[in-house]
Amino acid sequence: PPPPPPTTMDYRHSLTQLGFEFDNPRARWADPVADAVQRVLDDEINPRVGSHGGWVVLLEVRDGIAYLEMGGGCQGCGKAEVTLRQGVEEKIRQAVPAVREVVDTTEHEAGESPFFLPGQEGESPLG
């Protein structure tokens, strides 16, 4: 599935409203560890992998393990493992010490438009 829509900001000036209005359609996690991982994905990871047409979704955090799924240009990308290990996992573990491992659950062979085909030259947006 595609990532959730981004937060939008609008300036309201009417008889009943004056100022900025924020609409954040992203549901926050009840678990504070999962919520912290989600914030890393929203603020640091997805803006960068989005430059390659990809996204990373948090499925759950259980027993110190964050389970993720990669989509778009990341699904099946020849640099997905580099992005995961040297970018996503590193940033999550630095920001959220309670996470000791990151597991990619993506079916990469099902990717329809990988940014880099296996064996193709190029750099991960996070690697």
Side-chain angles (χ1 to χ4, degrees):
T7 299
T8 59
M9 178 180 69
D10 196 11
Y11 184 77
R12 301 286 183 183
H13 184 89
S14 69
L15 292 174
T16 59
Q17 289 182 307
L18 178 62
F20 289 101
E21 178 179 275
F22 294 89
D23 179 26
N24 185 354
R26 299 176 185 145
R28 288 293 174 201
W29 295 84
D31 172 29
V33 174
D35 193 55
V37 171
Q38 185 66 57
R39 289 182 192 280
V40 172
L41 292 176
D42 291 346
D43 297 342
E44 297 184 46
I45 304 300
N46 280 319
R48 293 187 59 196
V49 298
S51 69
H52 285 188
W55 60 81
V56 180
V57 176
L58 176 62
L59 302 176
E60 71 174 321
V61 176
R62 186 177 62 233
D63 300 323
I65 302 171
Y67 295 89
L68 307 176
E69 185 173 80
M70 301 171 95
C74 293
Q75 186 179 12
C77 179
K79 303 297 179 192
E81 183 68 20
V82 172
T83 297
L84 181 72
R85 296 293 162 223
Q86 295 178 12
V88 176
E89 182 173 29
E90 187 175 297
K91 288 189 180 304
I92 289 172
R93 291 181 68 194
Q94 284 175 356
V96 189
V99 173
R100 59 181 170 75
E101 184 179 354
V102 174
V103 173
D104 179 15
T105 65
T106 308
E107 293 182 42
H108 284 284
E109 50 285 338
E112 295 180 14
S113 59
F115 195 81
F116 292 113
L117 296 174
Q120 187 178 359
E121 292 296 317
E123 294 184 17
S124 162
L126 296 172

